[in-house]
Amino acid sequence: MAPKKSKHEFAPKKIKLKKDSKMKLKKKKKTSSSSNAVAAAGGSENRGVDSDWWNSFWEKNSPISGSMVPQDEEEGFKYFFRVSKKTFEYICSLVREDLISRPPSGLINIEGRLLSVEKQVAIALRRLASGESQVTWRFIEAMEERGKHHLKWPEDDNLQKIKSEFESSFNLPNCCGAIDATHIVMTLPAVQTSDDWCDQIRNYSMLVQAIVDHKSRFLDLVTGWPGGMTIPKLLKFSGFYKLCESGERLNGNPRSISDGSEIREFIVGGSNYPLLPWLITPYNENEDEMSGFNRVHESTRSVAVRAFSQLKGSWRILNKVMWRPDKKKLPSIIVVCCLLHNIIIDCGDYIKPEVSLSCHHDLGYVERWCKQVEPLGRKMRQNLASYLENSN
């Protein structure tokens, strides 16, 4: 049985939250007396910029002989927190007011003062990167709200740049992105287990679907759906699918090609997705004459595969088996990791190659060939294949 309501996803203009999440955001305006007391106890350490925290941290964690920690201090910073110092400062600026006005309980130093914003962000990033413990919920709430402008469908000018880059790199005109999905594996208490959450390899998991650009930057995201759901159904329950089917998304001017046919705006997806006019999948393995098209298609789709490998490699909390996570909060953690991924790119920072997963991001899961083929999708794919053949 399909779940009854839509899940966590980013809309073009605003984030759609489940009812429970909306209630929590409304409560955010109220500050309890205990929170006021903690804020008062924090004093100046929490309100000012803490410029000394890193020196103290590095002194305690600097590399020793045989250590994996880089000798260079800047590289060491990225080793621990996945971001450069400049990007770290930007993240702090996004969440500072929220972490000051609604300080998390429990983050108190030995002197009884609330930890500085810098230390709170460092703890959150370190926990997300290592996956060794639960991340501070206050940081997740603040980051999801304050950083949401880093994950949205591009405006026309930016979309034109994306299409131009895809064409330049892969020779596919009017391509707007690549789509893929991955599983976040978890254990669940016996009272919460059900066939909905049990996936094809008998793990309990939550699905994440994303569309990315040529830089493996996330443009659209939906998560919160149980791992037992099929990929075609996940797509059809997404807001992106509804926008495309109603003509509100991927509706730019078609591109005319030499034989008189047209190529509309589209994205590429794997064989586990349906072939639609706006979602182009590969030919099946029995159509050898189309192997050239499939090579180009797979190369283009690899930007989405790489994005998930970088995401799960950078923020290992998503690549470990989560121990009984709150299924209502897990989507927010996933969203924040995707926001951090985009912020790294937007700040001109970079993801170290050795951080990405060395294996496929969904290891053990097999792409099940989707048999749904729409006639206009087949025609669109043929137009693309003809264009590639004639342009060689």
Side-chain angles (χ1 to χ4, degrees):
M1 180 181 296
K4 294 182 180 178
K5 57 181 179 180
S6 63
K7 295 291 177 176
H8 226 81
E9 65 181 294
F10 271 73
K13 295 183 180 178
K14 63 180 181 179
I15 182 173
K16 293 182 178 179
L17 298 176
K18 295 177 283 186
K19 291 182 180 179
D20 291 345
S21 299
K22 288 182 179 177
M23 292 172 61
K24 290 173 186 174
L25 287 178
K26 290 180 181 178
K27 290 180 181 178
K28 191 173 183 178
K29 298 178 181 178
K30 299 181 180 179
T31 305
S32 66
S33 58
S34 60
S35 294
N36 285 329
V38 173
S44 60
E45 180 184 357
N46 186 50
R47 294 193 172 274
V49 175
D50 183 356
S51 57
D52 297 326
W53 76 272
W54 166 247
N55 292 334
S56 176
F57 180 92
W58 183 245
E59 184 178 340
K60 294 176 182 177
N61 296 278
S62 56
I64 58 176
S65 179
S67 170
M68 294 180 63
V69 180
Q71 294 287 335
D72 180 78
E73 190 172 330
E74 292 292 332
E75 290 299 307
F77 194 97
K78 285 187 71 72
Y79 173 84
F80 286 112
F81 306 111
R82 300 296 195 251
V83 300
S84 67
K85 287 184 179 181
K86 182 180 178 181
T87 304
F88 180 87
E89 290 169 0
Y90 173 70
I91 294 169
C92 289
S93 73
L94 288 178
V95 300
R96 184 174 300 280
E97 290 303 317
D98 286 349
L99 295 186
I100 290 173
S101 62
R102 297 185 68 238
S105 59
L107 292 183
I108 308 295
N109 66 14
I110 59 175
E111 297 173 346
R113 291 187 177 185
L114 187 68
L115 296 182
S116 67
V117 169
E118 285 72 22
K119 289 178 181 176
Q120 292 182 50
V121 172
I123 290 171
L125 294 183
R126 184 63 186 147
R127 288 178 176 178
L128 289 172
S130 67
E132 293 172 357
S133 58
Q134 289 297 314
V135 70
T136 309
W137 184 242
R138 289 282 193 276
F139 172 81
I140 296 297
E141 284 184 309
M143 194 68 218
E144 184 177 24
E145 176 62 23
R146 303 302 177 186
K148 63 186 179 184
H149 58 284
H150 284 280
L151 204 168
K152 61 181 181 179
W153 189 253
E155 301 293 339
D156 288 344
D157 287 348
N158 285 333
L159 189 58
Q160 290 301 320
K161 292 178 183 177
I162 290 170
K163 292 195 295 184
S164 177
E165 291 293 338
F166 269 114
E167 184 169 7
S168 175
S169 299
F170 307 106
N171 198 25
L172 286 180
N174 251 354
C175 180
C176 299
I179 191 170
D180 200 6
T182 196
H183 294 79
I184 308 300
V185 181
M186 55 190 173
T187 61
L188 294 176
V191 294
Q192 294 184 24
T193 58
S194 71
D195 289 342
D196 285 341
W197 293 97
C198 190
D199 59 38
Q200 61 172 266
I201 60 174
R202 311 305 296 172
N203 286 329
Y204 291 107
S205 63
M206 181 176 287
L207 282 165
V208 187
Q209 176 183 274
I211 299 167
V212 309
D213 66 12
H214 58 287
K215 296 186 290 188
S216 293
R217 185 183 180 279
F218 294 108
L219 303 177
D220 184 273
L221 184 76
V222 58
T223 188
W225 295 106
M229 180 178 287
T230 64
I231 296 301
K233 186 175 289 187
L234 172 66
L235 173 70
K236 289 181 179 179
F237 282 160
S238 69
F240 187 86
Y241 176 88
K242 295 178 177 69
L243 288 169
C244 290
E245 288 295 292
S246 64
E248 298 175 70
R249 180 67 53 79
L250 299 180
N251 57 355
N253 293 328
R255 176 83 166 268
S256 297
I257 57 178
S258 59
D259 64 359
S261 57
E262 292 184 333
I263 296 175
R264 58 163 294 166
E265 289 186 341
F266 68 97
I267 59 175
V268 297
S271 58
N272 49 348
Y273 280 93
L275 176 60
L276 307 173
W278 51 267
L279 201 172
I280 304 304
T281 59
Y283 288 94
N284 67 45
E285 59 273 15
N286 295 324
E287 298 171 279
D288 293 335
E289 69 275 11
M290 295 303 176
S291 59
F293 173 85
N294 280 2
R295 282 194 296 272
V296 173
H297 181 282
E298 183 60 25
S299 180
T300 310
R301 190 175 78 100
S302 69
V303 298
V305 176
R306 180 168 66 248
F308 275 128
S309 293
Q310 290 176 337
L311 179 75
K312 285 186 166 183
S314 297
W315 313 109
R316 297 273 168 166
I317 192 171
L318 302 182
N319 197 49
K320 293 189 173 183
V321 178
M322 289 195 180
W323 174 252
R324 297 186 174 184
D326 185 331
K327 295 201 296 294
K328 294 180 180 179
K329 291 183 175 181
L330 179 54
S332 292
I333 295 173
I334 295 168
V335 166
V336 166
C337 289
C338 292
L339 288 174
L340 291 170
H341 174 95
N342 280 6
I343 285 171
I344 290 172
I345 297 172
D346 295 345
C347 287
D349 203 347
Y350 65 96
I351 299 169
K352 294 175 72 68
E354 61 269 25
V355 167
S356 298
L357 298 179
S358 58
C359 56
H360 191 272
H361 63 78
D362 230 13
L363 191 64
Y365 293 89
V366 177
E367 285 192 359
R368 294 175 174 172
W369 197 281
C370 180
K371 297 180 180 179
Q372 180 184 344
V373 175
E374 290 194 7
L376 288 177
R378 181 186 289 112
K379 175 61 177 173
M380 172 70 175
R381 186 171 63 183
Q382 183 56 52
N383 290 347
L384 279 169
S386 297
Y387 173 83
L388 289 175
E389 185 177 359
N390 293 331
S391 62
N392 288 333

